[in-house]
Amino acid sequence: MKKTLGAVAVAATVALSLSACGGGSSSSAESAKGEISYWLWDANQLPAYQQCADDFTKANPDIKVKITQRGWDDYWSTLTNGFVGGTAPDVFTNHLGRYGELAENKQLLPIDDAVEKDNVDLTAYNEGLADLWVGQDGKRYGLPKDWDTIGLFYNKAMLASAGITEDQMKDLAWNPEDGGSYEKVIAHLTVDKNGKRGDEAGFDKDNVAVYGLGLNGGGDSSGQTEWSYLTNTTGWSHTDKNPWGTHYNYDDPKFQESMAWFAGLAQKGYMPKLETTVGAAMADTFAAGKSAINAHGSWMTGQYISYKGIEVGIAPTPVGPEGERASMFNGLADSIWAGTKKKDASIKWVEYLASADCQDVVASKAVVFPALKTSSDKAAEAFKAKGVDVTAFTEHVKNKTTFLYPITDNTAKVKGIMEPAMDAVVSGKAPASSLTQVNEQVNALFK
């Protein structure tokens, strides 16, 4: 799950390195009880985790969990300020795009000893999720919370009106030359204010009522929901290795060709222009009937199916030039701030969050897929009980058509360079070839 981390993260990198602090000095007895603070950013998941907190306190009467939920941008800026000022929460939801830098700056508490002592079964999680949270120093900085992949949310009524079947949506193909059947469907679902479709004569690309494909943004350095499900079907990858790569590949002709195609959708009128999306959530424009297809993450399923008057379907990402689908595989974790005064209580809470006792509760809410294999299966059943087919997401994991979120050092700085560069390309203000020079700036961070 991701969005742009924002300029605050970039500006705070130096401050974090200067203010990195160690663990609290309180005694073990004191750190094993009292109130601990826990932060998360997803409002849709708050009810599930509040139930987990209540259940946890019933089982551990000496520990109370105070949960704070903040929106994505506010979450990271406030958290960063908390690290700098010594007011960060004891435990917080962590992201793969951030933890390497936080670990390097000594803001995270290693939990290896506790995991070993308490016999936490790391093999119980979906394959690879536990390994993601072991840093370059070999220490563990979190226990898996959930996972997500990408799919195509679509408006069933709009498809039916356009004469496109759901079977067609499940069998789309894409290439960077002409967009394949994926672009044909996007074009046909686009309708201007005079009722002309994008593939009909007389279509007015400057006065569009419904876009075939919604736009979430330029995609900064990862393009998780915007373009990575396309670019990574061409044989391209973000970095030389993952995790802990030291060389980015935005200068690769395969990537630039894919981005030129993607930006071209807006130029053709099939996708909103970037400047029109500022301050507007892509899911909300879908709810308003202004887009027919949205490429988005599995964590958004609950929100999409909640829209009244819109029947939503979910299709898999299109098959790319190499004959496979692709999706970024992101797995969140719960981490402990190195400066906590409630170390033992925080460890007990993190282990509870990573247990079936909590993850089964999360699964029952049909909002996200928990990290535990058994809980993940229960989530799929909970979605099914609501009449929602989530196969588009689960098949990526089953068929191993996933790739990792790019995990490197200098992530805030990389994002700070790539966000305006990708915005310039997607908005048509700069050609995709401009990314060659930008890539040199990014890779200079690792020299």
Side-chain angles (χ1 to χ4, degrees):
M1 192 181 306
K2 74 100 197 150
K3 291 183 184 176
T4 303
L5 295 177
V8 173
V10 182
T13 302
V14 175
L16 279 173
S17 64
L18 293 175
S19 64
C21 55
S25 59
S26 58
S27 69
S28 179
E30 291 175 335
S31 75
K33 60 184 179 181
E35 182 177 271
I36 56 175
S37 53
Y38 175 56
W39 287 12
L40 50 79
W41 64 73
D42 190 350
N44 294 322
Q45 297 185 57
L46 180 58
Y49 284 105
Q50 186 58 62
Q51 182 176 334
C52 286
D54 293 342
D55 294 343
F56 175 76
T57 297
K58 287 180 182 178
N60 302 274
D62 290 338
I63 306 173
K64 182 178 180 181
V65 180
K66 181 181 179 180
I67 300 180
T68 298
Q69 181 270 323
R70 300 178 186 274
W72 175 269
D73 291 325
D74 185 43
Y75 179 90
W76 289 106
S77 61
T78 307
L79 186 62
T80 299
N81 290 335
F83 290 140
V84 174
T87 58
D90 299 293
V91 181
F92 63 98
T93 301
N94 207 347
H95 192 282
L96 289 175
R98 295 302 303 274
Y99 99 93
E101 204 158 47
L102 294 177
E104 183 182 8
N105 290 324
K106 309 300 182 185
Q107 295 294 340
L108 304 181
L109 183 75
I111 58 174
D112 309 76
D113 293 343
V115 167
E116 182 178 0
K117 179 176 69 71
D118 297 330
N119 296 312
V120 177
D121 183 8
L122 298 175
T123 66
Y125 303 103
N126 276 283
E127 185 178 355
L129 292 181
D131 296 338
L132 293 176
W133 293 92
V134 176
Q136 293 189 82
D137 57 5
K139 296 179 180 179
R140 173 168 298 284
Y141 292 105
L143 284 174
K145 180 185 194 68
D146 56 32
W147 61 264
D148 55 73
T149 55
I150 306 302
L152 304 178
F153 292 91
Y154 59 88
N155 184 310
K156 290 187 177 183
M158 289 183 179
L159 252 69
S161 177
I164 298 171
T165 68
E166 294 190 69
D167 285 338
Q168 285 178 282
M169 281 296 298
K170 294 177 182 178
D171 196 31
L172 297 176
W174 172 83
N175 67 73
E177 288 79 31
D178 62 14
S181 58
Y182 187 41
E183 180 170 339
K184 290 180 180 178
V185 164
I186 291 171
H188 194 59
L189 286 169
T190 302
V191 184
D192 70 16
K193 293 183 179 179
N194 295 316
K196 290 286 186 179
R197 295 192 175 275
D199 55 1
E200 292 180 331
F203 169 70
D204 186 353
K205 67 177 184 179
D206 295 317
N207 291 286
V208 178
V210 179
Y211 292 97
L213 183 66
L215 179 63
N216 200 34
D220 60 70
S221 57
S222 74
Q224 182 178 12
T225 62
E226 296 85 3
W227 39 259
S228 69
Y229 68 97
L230 301 170
T231 58
N232 291 62
T233 65
T234 66
W236 178 82
S237 59
H238 291 74
T239 53
D240 56 345
K241 63 177 181 178
N242 202 13
W244 312 119
T246 58
H247 183 93
Y248 279 82
N249 300 316
Y250 302 117
D251 59 346
D252 190 318
K254 291 180 181 178
F255 177 71
Q256 294 182 9
E257 186 179 16
S258 298
M259 289 311 305
W261 173 85
F262 186 73
L265 292 179
Q267 295 165 14
K268 294 173 183 177
Y270 303 160
M271 183 173 73
K273 293 181 178 179
L274 183 65
E275 57 267 27
T276 68
T277 68
V278 177
M282 184 174 70
D284 291 340
T285 61
F286 181 91
K290 295 181 180 179
S291 61
I293 300 173
N294 277 5
H296 226 155
S298 54
W299 67 90
M300 293 294 295
T301 303
Q303 185 166 333
Y304 277 96
I305 64 176
S306 71
Y307 295 135
K308 294 181 179 180
I310 298 179
E311 191 174 3
V312 179
I314 311 170
T317 56
V319 174
E322 295 194 335
E324 293 281 355
R325 306 183 195 278
S327 170
M328 189 172 284
F329 188 50
N330 188 28
L332 303 181
D334 290 301
S335 295
I336 301 172
W337 177 40
T340 179
K341 299 297 190 296
K342 301 291 183 181
K343 175 183 173 180
D344 295 300
S346 296
I347 288 173
K348 185 172 286 190
W349 171 235
V350 165
E351 290 182 347
Y352 186 82
L353 288 167
S355 73
D357 287 338
C358 178
Q359 296 201 8
D360 281 355
V361 169
V362 176
S364 70
K365 304 298 183 181
V367 177
V368 295
F369 294 101
L372 286 168
K373 297 172 187 175
T374 54
S375 301
S376 186
D377 291 341
K378 290 177 181 179
E381 288 300 317
F383 278 115
K384 185 177 180 180
K386 287 188 173 184
V388 184
D389 182 0
V390 293
T391 305
F393 301 120
T394 58
E395 285 293 296
H396 277 302
V397 177
K398 178 181 177 181
N399 296 333
K400 301 184 185 301
T401 53
T402 60
F403 56 92
L404 294 180
Y405 187 101
I407 305 170
T408 69
D409 288 333
N410 301 305
T411 49
K413 293 178 181 178
V414 172
K415 289 176 183 292
I417 293 171
M418 290 305 300
E419 184 173 0
M422 294 306 301
D423 283 355
V425 170
V426 174
S427 66
K429 295 178 180 178
S433 59
S434 66
L435 297 173
T436 296
Q437 183 176 0
V438 174
N439 195 64
E440 293 176 359
Q441 297 176 45
V442 168
N443 287 332
L445 297 172
F446 298 88
K447 293 181 180 178

